[in-house]
Amino acid sequence: MALRIGITAEPIPSHVSALDYVIRPALEQGHHVTLHAPVVFRREARRRGVELHGAGTNWACDPLVQRTASEIWTGLGNAPFNRYVFGHLWPKQAEAKARDLLTAWTRARPDLVIAECSDLGAHLAAKVLGLPLLAADNGLGPVLLDLWDTDIAPALLPLYKQYEQDTPVLPPMVTPAPVAWFYPAPPSSARAVRRTVAEFRTALPGWLDRSPSSRPLVYVSLGTLTTAMTDLRTVVGSAYREIMAALSAIDCDAIVSAGNLAEHLRSTGPRIKLVEHVPQPALLRHADLFVTHGGRASLLDAVQGATPVLAMGVLADQPDNAAAFARRGLGRALDLTATRLQIADAITDVLGSPQYAAAMRTADTELSQLPPLDLMEQWKGCDLV
C-alpha cells in the first residue's frame, strides 16, 4: 500500500537537505511524496523527484527579518537570538503556513504528515484536520524543547484559540542520530532512525578529484544561513579569513566553501581552493578534517565520512552541538572569534592525533546501526493529533 505523504519545510536554505532522511526512504518505499514549502524550494524538490506545493512565505529571506535577527545576535548573544527567532518570529509566521496547508490538505488529504519540528503552522494545520502527524527533527529539536513552555507555546496560544484548539504541544519526533548525542535531557517521544542523504549529494564532481598528495585535506564550511544575515555575515567573513590564514601556515590542502561570501574573500595560498558550494557528504568521505559551524546535518555528514571536526558554533543549536562533539572526542571546539593562531593549533592537534579519527569511526558505526525509517510502521503507530 502506497501512502500519500505530505512533508513540510520552512524557508531556510539547508532545511530540505536536513529532511532527506525522511524524503529518500519515503520514495524508496514507494509512497507518493509532496513537499509543502515556499516556492523557493522548487529546484530542491525537482532534484529529489518530489512534487512541490507552495505553502507559506519566504519570510526568512526578508532583509528586515535578517537584519533584526543578526543585530540581536551580535548585540545580545545567542540565547536572546534564540528566544527572538523561535519564540517570536517562527510563531508569527505559523498562521500563513497553516492557512495554506489547511486549503491544500482539505482539497487532497494526506495519509500522513511529516512536518519539520520547527514548522509550527504545519503542526496546527494537521491538528485542525485530525491528520496523523510526525515531526522530523531538523536539528532544532533541542532548542524548541528548551523554549517550548516559556516562549513558543505562549506565543502560539492565541493562534490555537483562533482555530479552537487546545494548548500547543510538540508532536512525537523522529531524529536521524542517537538521541543522547544532541539532547541533554532526551524527550520520551523522540525515536532515532537511520540517516540517509539525497543520492545526488553523494557524487563527487570531476573538478574535485584529487591527484595523489601526501598532504591532509581540510574542508571548511560555516553554513549557508550565516552568510545571508547582514551583521552576522561580517562576523562570519572575518572567521573565514582567520581560518584561511591559519591554513596557509599548515602543510595541508584545503577546500573552503563559503556560499555567496566566496566572491568577497581571497584565498591565502595556492593550496587553498575557495568555492561557493560542494556536495558536502561526498567530499567529507575524502577529507581528513572538517572545520564547521556545527549545524546538526553538517556534523552528521562528518560522522558518515568518519572525518574529525573543528567546530566553531555560530547560532541556534550550533554552539551546543560543537561542545557535545568535543566532549565525545570527535574533534575540537573553538569560539567563532578564535584567532588564526588558536585555529592553527587546533587544526594541527586534530590532524596529528589519531584518536579523533578513531572516535569518528566508532560514531559512524553507531549511527549506521540505527533502525531504518519504516513509513508504513510510523503511519500505523501514529495517533491522530
Side-chain angles (χ1 to χ4, degrees), residues 228-251:
M229 300 169 67
T230 312
D231 288 5
L232 189 53
R233 178 184 174 94
T234 301
V235 176
V236 171
S238 296
Y240 271 117
R241 292 182 181 92
E242 289 297 299
I243 291 166
M244 287 192 289
L247 289 168
S248 66
I250 298 172
D251 186 26

Side-chain angles (χ1 to χ4, degrees), residues 244 248 254 266-274:
M244 287 192 289
S248 66
R266 186 173 62 183
S267 174
T268 53
R271 291 180 280 101
I272 301 173
K273 186 174 183 60
L274 186 62

Side-chain angles (χ1 to χ4, degrees), residues 68-219:
T68 303
S70 63
E71 286 174 353
I72 290 172
W73 183 87
T74 53
L76 300 174
N78 193 48
F81 169 88
N82 284 346
R83 288 195 297 273
Y84 173 72
V85 170
F86 302 109
H88 173 71
L89 276 184
W90 237 286
K92 186 178 178 182
Q93 299 298 324
E95 183 174 7
K97 188 68 170 286
R99 188 169 55 245
D100 288 348
L101 292 176
L102 286 168
T103 300
W105 291 342
T106 300
R107 187 182 302 121
R109 187 179 178 91
D111 298 307
L112 175 65
V113 171
I114 304 178
E116 276 195 290
C117 62
S118 56
D119 196 342
L120 307 174
H123 302 170
L124 174 59
K127 186 175 178 68
V128 170
L129 296 175
L131 296 170
L133 170 64
L134 190 65
D137 185 3
N138 54 16
L140 295 174
V143 177
L144 295 178
L145 284 171
D146 184 50
L147 297 175
W148 192 266
D149 292 335
T150 58
D151 294 80
I152 300 173
L156 285 172
L157 195 55
L159 180 59
Y160 269 61
K161 287 183 176 179
Q162 179 182 326
Y163 284 92
E164 300 180 341
Q165 299 300 313
D166 298 331
T167 303
V169 177
L170 191 62
M173 266 194 296
V174 289
T175 186
V179 177
W181 281 15
F182 296 99
Y183 290 86
S188 58
S189 64
R191 179 186 175 191
V193 298
R194 189 172 301 165
R195 182 178 192 253
T196 56
V197 298
E199 190 170 0
F200 71 87
R201 300 184 69 225
T202 64
L204 199 64
W207 68 266
L208 273 175
D209 284 345
R210 296 181 72 209
S211 55
S213 172
S214 60
R215 293 184 296 269
L217 175 63
V218 178
Y219 168 55

Side-chain angles (χ1 to χ4, degrees), residues 263-297:
E263 62 181 298
H264 303 287
L265 300 172
R266 186 173 62 183
S267 174
T268 53
R271 291 180 280 101
I272 301 173
K273 186 174 183 60
L274 186 62
V275 299
E276 288 191 10
H277 301 289
V278 296
Q280 183 169 285
L283 179 57
L284 283 170
R285 296 185 182 277
H286 298 265
D288 299 286
L289 172 65
F290 181 21
V291 182
T292 171
H293 63 305
R296 203 272 305 276

Side-chain angles (χ1 to χ4, degrees), residues 21-62:
Y21 76 98
V22 171
I23 296 172
R24 185 168 178 178
L27 293 173
E28 291 175 345
Q29 292 165 29
H31 303 300
H32 177 74
V33 178
T34 302
L35 178 65
H36 298 270
V39 293
V40 69
F41 285 134
R42 189 176 304 280
R43 179 171 179 264
E44 295 300 321
R46 185 168 57 247
R47 295 169 83 182
R48 289 164 173 80
V50 301
E51 183 180 348
L52 177 72
H53 282 186
T57 64
N58 197 24
W59 60 270
C61 295
D62 183 326

